[in-house]
Amino acid sequence: MSAPAGGSDHFIMRVKAVTRDLVKYCGGVVRSGELTGRSKSEVSRWQHVETPDIIDLPATLALERECGVPLVTTVMAEMHGRRLTDEASARSAASINAHHSALLRGQGELSIHMAAALEDGTITPAEAELLDRSASDLENQLRAFRSGLAVVKANGPACAAAPLRVVGEH
């Protein structure tokens, strides 16, 4: 499916970015093609910013069902000022420390990529693509962290499932 005429470039770039993540979560281009009944060339076009093709609704539903993460649906909701709630992540309040750790790692990676991109004073399209991927990962980590916090606010205090240990301890 080609992007609609007059569609927001921002929206199309966001859909392509999360489609790339969705394809990765589902096992890559070949596996995603098998799940949707589409060729690997078509699946590849959905992900690349140079092509006008975007993922269609039946393919979105098939891939989101497979990986259990509504990435494209979330972007569609956000573009209309809405937000989805992720009950599976919300039930994992006990892993809030893990979510926080992943969030900090993601922020560090984004900062490293940004510093490298700004080194020469110009952000190239390739650097923008790398930054967008890092930002997308960070956005997913932030969403999981916020879901855990929402559970704590709704259900009361949460404790870590297990005490922290030094790696290698038995």
Side-chain angles (χ1 to χ4, degrees), residues 66-86:
E66 174 68 17
C67 74
V69 183
L71 296 172
V72 176
T73 302
T74 299
V75 168
M76 289 191 291
E78 288 172 357
M79 296 306 280
H80 292 284
R82 302 288 187 244
R83 188 172 65 138
L84 300 180
T85 58
D86 182 359

PDB file of all heavy atoms in Angstrom, residues 66-86:
ATOM      1  N   GLU A  66       1.370 -11.518  16.146  1.00  0.00           N
ATOM      2  CA  GLU A  66       2.488 -12.461  16.271  1.00  0.00           C
ATOM      3  C   GLU A  66       3.448 -12.071  17.397  1.00  0.00           C
ATOM      4  O   GLU A  66       3.838 -12.912  18.197  1.00  0.00           O
ATOM      5  CB  GLU A  66       3.248 -12.549  14.949  1.00  0.00           C
ATOM      6  CG  GLU A  66       4.498 -13.389  14.997  1.00  0.00           C
ATOM      7  CD  GLU A  66       4.252 -14.878  15.192  1.00  0.00           C
ATOM      8  OE1 GLU A  66       3.116 -15.355  14.976  1.00  0.00           O
ATOM      9  OE2 GLU A  66       5.212 -15.582  15.566  1.00  0.00           O
ATOM     10  N   CYS A  67       3.829 -10.792  17.449  1.00  0.00           N
ATOM     11  CA  CYS A  67       4.831 -10.398  18.451  1.00  0.00           C
ATOM     12  C   CYS A  67       4.206  -9.878  19.745  1.00  0.00           C
ATOM     13  O   CYS A  67       4.895  -9.744  20.746  1.00  0.00           O
ATOM     14  CB  CYS A  67       5.796  -9.369  17.871  1.00  0.00           C
ATOM     15  SG  CYS A  67       5.123  -7.719  17.675  1.00  0.00           S
ATOM     16  N   GLY A  68       2.907  -9.576  19.703  1.00  0.00           N
ATOM     17  CA  GLY A  68       2.231  -9.115  20.914  1.00  0.00           C
ATOM     18  C   GLY A  68       2.499  -7.670  21.284  1.00  0.00           C
ATOM     19  O   GLY A  68       2.220  -7.255  22.408  1.00  0.00           O
ATOM     20  N   VAL A  69       3.032  -6.896  20.344  1.00  0.00           N
ATOM     21  CA  VAL A  69       3.333  -5.491  20.620  1.00  0.00           C
ATOM     22  C   VAL A  69       2.651  -4.627  19.557  1.00  0.00           C
ATOM     23  O   VAL A  69       2.982  -4.718  18.385  1.00  0.00           O
ATOM     24  CB  VAL A  69       4.859  -5.237  20.603  1.00  0.00           C
ATOM     25  CG1 VAL A  69       5.162  -3.795  20.961  1.00  0.00           C
ATOM     26  CG2 VAL A  69       5.586  -6.191  21.529  1.00  0.00           C
ATOM     27  N   PRO A  70       1.712  -3.762  19.956  1.00  0.00           N
ATOM     28  CA  PRO A  70       0.960  -2.959  18.985  1.00  0.00           C
ATOM     29  C   PRO A  70       1.696  -1.687  18.552  1.00  0.00           C
ATOM     30  O   PRO A  70       1.244  -0.566  18.782  1.00  0.00           O
ATOM     31  CB  PRO A  70      -0.329  -2.630  19.741  1.00  0.00           C
ATOM     32  CG  PRO A  70       0.129  -2.526  21.157  1.00  0.00           C
ATOM     33  CD  PRO A  70       1.192  -3.596  21.308  1.00  0.00           C
ATOM     34  N   LEU A  71       2.820  -1.843  17.885  1.00  0.00           N
ATOM     35  CA  LEU A  71       3.649  -0.686  17.543  1.00  0.00           C
ATOM     36  C   LEU A  71       2.975   0.273  16.565  1.00  0.00           C
ATOM     37  O   LEU A  71       2.919   1.477  16.811  1.00  0.00           O
ATOM     38  CB  LEU A  71       4.988  -1.158  16.967  1.00  0.00           C
ATOM     39  CG  LEU A  71       5.877  -1.944  17.920  1.00  0.00           C
ATOM     40  CD1 LEU A  71       7.075  -2.517  17.186  1.00  0.00           C
ATOM     41  CD2 LEU A  71       6.317  -1.072  19.068  1.00  0.00           C
ATOM     42  N   VAL A  72       2.480  -0.244  15.442  1.00  0.00           N
ATOM     43  CA  VAL A  72       1.844   0.621  14.445  1.00  0.00           C
ATOM     44  C   VAL A  72       0.539   1.186  14.999  1.00  0.00           C
ATOM     45  O   VAL A  72       0.238   2.370  14.823  1.00  0.00           O
ATOM     46  CB  VAL A  72       1.614  -0.132  13.116  1.00  0.00           C
ATOM     47  CG1 VAL A  72       0.866   0.728  12.115  1.00  0.00           C
ATOM     48  CG2 VAL A  72       2.951  -0.593  12.514  1.00  0.00           C
ATOM     49  N   THR A  73      -0.207   0.357  15.696  1.00  0.00           N
ATOM     50  CA  THR A  73      -1.467   0.812  16.292  1.00  0.00           C
ATOM     51  C   THR A  73      -1.206   1.935  17.295  1.00  0.00           C
ATOM     52  O   THR A  73      -1.969   2.902  17.358  1.00  0.00           O
ATOM     53  CB  THR A  73      -2.180  -0.366  16.976  1.00  0.00           C
ATOM     54  OG1 THR A  73      -2.412  -1.381  15.996  1.00  0.00           O
ATOM     55  CG2 THR A  73      -3.496   0.050  17.590  1.00  0.00           C
ATOM     56  N   THR A  74      -0.129   1.845  18.050  1.00  0.00           N
ATOM     57  CA  THR A  74       0.226   2.889  19.005  1.00  0.00           C
ATOM     58  C   THR A  74       0.510   4.211  18.302  1.00  0.00           C
ATOM     59  O   THR A  74       0.048   5.263  18.735  1.00  0.00           O
ATOM     60  CB  THR A  74       1.443   2.452  19.849  1.00  0.00           C
ATOM     61  OG1 THR A  74       1.094   1.277  20.580  1.00  0.00           O
ATOM     62  CG2 THR A  74       1.880   3.547  20.810  1.00  0.00           C
ATOM     63  N   VAL A  75       1.257   4.150  17.195  1.00  0.00           N
ATOM     64  CA  VAL A  75       1.549   5.372  16.440  1.00  0.00           C
ATOM     65  C   VAL A  75       0.261   5.969  15.891  1.00  0.00           C
ATOM     66  O   VAL A  75       0.054   7.190  15.955  1.00  0.00           O
ATOM     67  CB  VAL A  75       2.560   5.102  15.298  1.00  0.00           C
ATOM     68  CG1 VAL A  75       2.641   6.277  14.336  1.00  0.00           C
ATOM     69  CG2 VAL A  75       3.924   4.798  15.876  1.00  0.00           C
ATOM     70  N   MET A  76      -0.629   5.122  15.371  1.00  0.00           N
ATOM     71  CA  MET A  76      -1.897   5.626  14.846  1.00  0.00           C
ATOM     72  C   MET A  76      -2.702   6.309  15.955  1.00  0.00           C
ATOM     73  O   MET A  76      -3.272   7.378  15.740  1.00  0.00           O
ATOM     74  CB  MET A  76      -2.696   4.507  14.189  1.00  0.00           C
ATOM     75  CG  MET A  76      -2.077   4.050  12.879  1.00  0.00           C
ATOM     76  SD  MET A  76      -3.131   2.959  11.903  1.00  0.00           S
ATOM     77  CE  MET A  76      -3.164   1.486  12.898  1.00  0.00           C
ATOM     78  N   ALA A  77      -2.724   5.708  17.138  1.00  0.00           N
ATOM     79  CA  ALA A  77      -3.450   6.313  18.255  1.00  0.00           C
ATOM     80  C   ALA A  77      -2.816   7.642  18.651  1.00  0.00           C
ATOM     81  O   ALA A  77      -3.516   8.636  18.871  1.00  0.00           O
ATOM     82  CB  ALA A  77      -3.475   5.357  19.446  1.00  0.00           C
ATOM     83  N   GLU A  78      -1.489   7.690  18.738  1.00  0.00           N
ATOM     84  CA  GLU A  78      -0.792   8.910  19.135  1.00  0.00           C
ATOM     85  C   GLU A  78      -1.007  10.041  18.139  1.00  0.00           C
ATOM     86  O   GLU A  78      -1.104  11.205  18.526  1.00  0.00           O
ATOM     87  CB  GLU A  78       0.702   8.634  19.301  1.00  0.00           C
ATOM     88  CG  GLU A  78       1.016   7.814  20.525  1.00  0.00           C
ATOM     89  CD  GLU A  78       2.465   7.363  20.596  1.00  0.00           C
ATOM     90  OE1 GLU A  78       3.248   7.643  19.648  1.00  0.00           O
ATOM     91  OE2 GLU A  78       2.825   6.724  21.593  1.00  0.00           O
ATOM     92  N   MET A  79      -1.112   9.706  16.867  1.00  0.00           N
ATOM     93  CA  MET A  79      -1.332  10.736  15.855  1.00  0.00           C
ATOM     94  C   MET A  79      -2.716  11.376  15.993  1.00  0.00           C
ATOM     95  O   MET A  79      -2.963  12.431  15.446  1.00  0.00           O
ATOM     96  CB  MET A  79      -1.145  10.161  14.447  1.00  0.00           C
ATOM     97  CG  MET A  79       0.274   9.687  14.168  1.00  0.00           C
ATOM     98  SD  MET A  79       1.542  10.931  14.479  1.00  0.00           S
ATOM     99  CE  MET A  79       1.397  11.888  13.003  1.00  0.00           C
ATOM    100  N   HIS A  80      -3.594  10.725  16.751  1.00  0.00           N
ATOM    101  CA  HIS A  80      -4.930  11.263  17.008  1.00  0.00           C
ATOM    102  C   HIS A  80      -5.085  11.731  18.450  1.00  0.00           C
ATOM    103  O   HIS A  80      -6.207  11.901  18.933  1.00  0.00           O
ATOM    104  CB  HIS A  80      -5.994  10.207  16.680  1.00  0.00           C
ATOM    105  CG  HIS A  80      -6.072   9.905  15.221  1.00  0.00           C
ATOM    106  ND1 HIS A  80      -6.669  10.736  14.319  1.00  0.00           N
ATOM    107  CD2 HIS A  80      -5.579   8.866  14.510  1.00  0.00           C
ATOM    108  CE1 HIS A  80      -6.554  10.218  13.110  1.00  0.00           C
ATOM    109  NE2 HIS A  80      -5.895   9.103  13.194  1.00  0.00           N
ATOM    110  N   GLY A  81      -3.942  11.884  19.139  1.00  0.00           N
ATOM    111  CA  GLY A  81      -3.981  12.382  20.498  1.00  0.00           C
ATOM    112  C   GLY A  81      -4.451  11.358  21.514  1.00  0.00           C
ATOM    113  O   GLY A  81      -4.886  11.720  22.607  1.00  0.00           O
ATOM    114  N   ARG A  82      -4.369  10.098  21.198  1.00  0.00           N
ATOM    115  CA  ARG A  82      -4.806   9.035  22.101  1.00  0.00           C
ATOM    116  C   ARG A  82      -3.597   8.218  22.546  1.00  0.00           C
ATOM    117  O   ARG A  82      -2.516   8.319  21.993  1.00  0.00           O
ATOM    118  CB  ARG A  82      -5.805   8.104  21.402  1.00  0.00           C
ATOM    119  CG  ARG A  82      -7.030   8.806  20.884  1.00  0.00           C
ATOM    120  CD  ARG A  82      -7.921   9.207  22.048  1.00  0.00           C
ATOM    121  NE  ARG A  82      -9.176   9.745  21.584  1.00  0.00           N
ATOM    122  CZ  ARG A  82      -9.565  10.976  21.786  1.00  0.00           C
ATOM    123  NH1 ARG A  82      -8.804  11.810  22.430  1.00  0.00           N
ATOM    124  NH2 ARG A  82     -10.725  11.397  21.347  1.00  0.00           N
ATOM    125  N   ARG A  83      -3.823   7.372  23.547  1.00  0.00           N
ATOM    126  CA  ARG A  83      -2.754   6.521  24.051  1.00  0.00           C
ATOM    127  C   ARG A  83      -3.315   5.148  24.346  1.00  0.00           C
ATOM    128  O   ARG A  83      -4.411   5.019  24.909  1.00  0.00           O
ATOM    129  CB  ARG A  83      -2.171   7.133  25.321  1.00  0.00           C
ATOM    130  CG  ARG A  83      -0.936   6.450  25.816  1.00  0.00           C
ATOM    131  CD  ARG A  83      -0.339   7.235  26.936  1.00  0.00           C
ATOM    132  NE  ARG A  83      -1.241   7.247  28.083  1.00  0.00           N
ATOM    133  CZ  ARG A  83      -0.838   7.102  29.337  1.00  0.00           C
ATOM    134  NH1 ARG A  83       0.421   6.970  29.615  1.00  0.00           N
ATOM    135  NH2 ARG A  83      -1.709   7.121  30.305  1.00  0.00           N
ATOM    136  N   LEU A  84      -2.583   4.117  23.966  1.00  0.00           N
ATOM    137  CA  LEU A  84      -2.975   2.753  24.302  1.00  0.00           C
ATOM    138  C   LEU A  84      -2.403   2.393  25.660  1.00  0.00           C
ATOM    139  O   LEU A  84      -1.372   2.911  26.071  1.00  0.00           O
ATOM    140  CB  LEU A  84      -2.424   1.759  23.270  1.00  0.00           C
ATOM    141  CG  LEU A  84      -2.863   1.935  21.823  1.00  0.00           C
ATOM    142  CD1 LEU A  84      -2.213   0.860  20.958  1.00  0.00           C
ATOM    143  CD2 LEU A  84      -4.367   1.866  21.690  1.00  0.00           C
ATOM    144  N   THR A  85      -3.063   1.478  26.356  1.00  0.00           N
ATOM    145  CA  THR A  85      -2.491   0.946  27.588  1.00  0.00           C
ATOM    146  C   THR A  85      -2.067  -0.486  27.315  1.00  0.00           C
ATOM    147  O   THR A  85      -2.721  -1.208  26.582  1.00  0.00           O
ATOM    148  CB  THR A  85      -3.506   0.960  28.748  1.00  0.00           C
ATOM    149  OG1 THR A  85      -4.654   0.209  28.370  1.00  0.00           O
ATOM    150  CG2 THR A  85      -3.897   2.375  29.102  1.00  0.00           C
ATOM    151  N   ASP A  86      -0.963  -0.867  27.877  1.00  0.00           N
ATOM    152  CA  ASP A  86      -0.407  -2.202  27.665  1.00  0.00           C
ATOM    153  C   ASP A  86      -0.550  -2.977  28.975  1.00  0.00           C
ATOM    154  O   ASP A  86       0.261  -2.849  29.869  1.00  0.00           O
ATOM    155  CB  ASP A  86       1.054  -2.091  27.248  1.00  0.00           C
ATOM    156  CG  ASP A  86       1.696  -3.424  26.958  1.00  0.00           C
ATOM    157  OD1 ASP A  86       1.020  -4.467  27.096  1.00  0.00           O
ATOM    158  OD2 ASP A  86       2.878  -3.428  26.599  1.00  0.00           O
TER     159      ASP A  86
END
